[in-house]
């Protein structure tokens, strides 16, 4: 019985230690500076490049039934050092629910390749233009 109590106590201590470490890491990341694209040595990128991202995006987008709609949606987000995207929002929308849909697609996208400054991965603010066209392709 004592062995079980000791094991439970050890597990509780280990859990508290790990939880405290994770909380400290999240605090550090949130306090890290956010750089603009022009301030970094290497810009963040989607794996395979932006053309690959646009292919991914277009495969997910459900175009509205609006003939010959042409425009751009801009999505703003931060690429974190681990490649995750945070603080995503619609910067400019063209309506018809496209901004909301674009935001969801971007938020669900695979991890990006982080930007770098002085050889270190850093947080970078990114403003992504996404062209929308609902006309027929020739």
């Amino acid at each position: 019985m004592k062995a079980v109590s000791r094991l439970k106590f050890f597990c509780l201590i280990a859990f508290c230690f790990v939880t405290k470490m994770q909380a400290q890491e999240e605090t550090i990341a949130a306090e890290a500076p956010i750089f603009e694209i022009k301030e970094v040595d290497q810009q963040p990128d989607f794996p395979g490049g932006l053309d690959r991202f646009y292919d991914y995006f277009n495969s997910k987008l459900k175009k509205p039934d609006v003939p010959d709609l042409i425009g751009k949606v801009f999505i703003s987000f931060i690429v974190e050092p681990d490649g995750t995207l945070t603080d995503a929002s619609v910067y400019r929308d063209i309506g018809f629910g496209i901004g909301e849909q674009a935001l969801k697609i971007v938020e669900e996208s695979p991890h990006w390749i982080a930007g770098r400054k002085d050889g270190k991965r850093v947080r970078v603010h990114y403003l992504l233009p996404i062209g929308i066209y609902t006309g027929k392709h020739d």
Side-chain angles (χ1 to χ4, degrees):
M1 189 71 170
K2 281 187 172 182
V4 172
S5 291
R6 287 182 182 162
L7 180 60
K8 286 181 183 178
F9 179 74
F10 175 76
C11 289
L12 178 65
I13 296 298
F15 174 77
C16 291
F17 178 75
V18 169
T19 303
K20 184 175 180 179
M21 292 291 289
Q22 288 175 340
Q24 286 176 344
E25 287 175 10
E26 289 173 9
T27 301
I28 291 168
E31 293 173 0
I34 300 171
F35 294 94
E36 295 297 326
I37 291 287
K38 63 185 177 194
E39 299 175 310
V40 296
D41 305 324
Q42 180 183 339
Q43 295 183 11
D45 202 3
F46 187 79
L50 279 181
D51 287 340
R52 215 37 176 302
F53 172 80
Y54 292 126
D55 290 341
Y56 164 81
F57 181 86
N58 287 321
S59 74
K60 303 283 185 188
L61 180 68
K62 293 179 181 82
K63 294 182 180 180
D65 190 18
V66 178
D68 298 323
L69 176 64
I70 299 173
K72 282 190 180 180
V73 173
F74 289 80
I75 304 295
S76 172
F77 53 88
I78 297 171
V79 180
E80 298 291 344
D82 65 357
T84 58
L85 306 183
T86 59
D87 296 335
S89 64
V90 178
Y91 182 78
R92 187 184 325 158
D93 195 356
I94 59 173
F96 308 101
I98 293 176
E100 290 174 21
Q101 199 179 158
L103 179 61
K104 183 176 180 184
I105 293 169
V106 168
E107 288 175 332
E108 294 175 352
S109 75
H111 287 185
W112 284 51
I113 299 165
R116 291 186 175 268
K117 182 167 180 69
D118 299 327
K120 296 179 183 175
R121 293 182 294 173
V122 293
R123 303 175 79 202
V124 180
H125 176 248
Y126 201 98
L127 186 59
L128 179 66
I130 303 170
I132 304 295
Y133 176 66
T134 61
K136 294 181 181 179
H137 291 87
D138 295 340

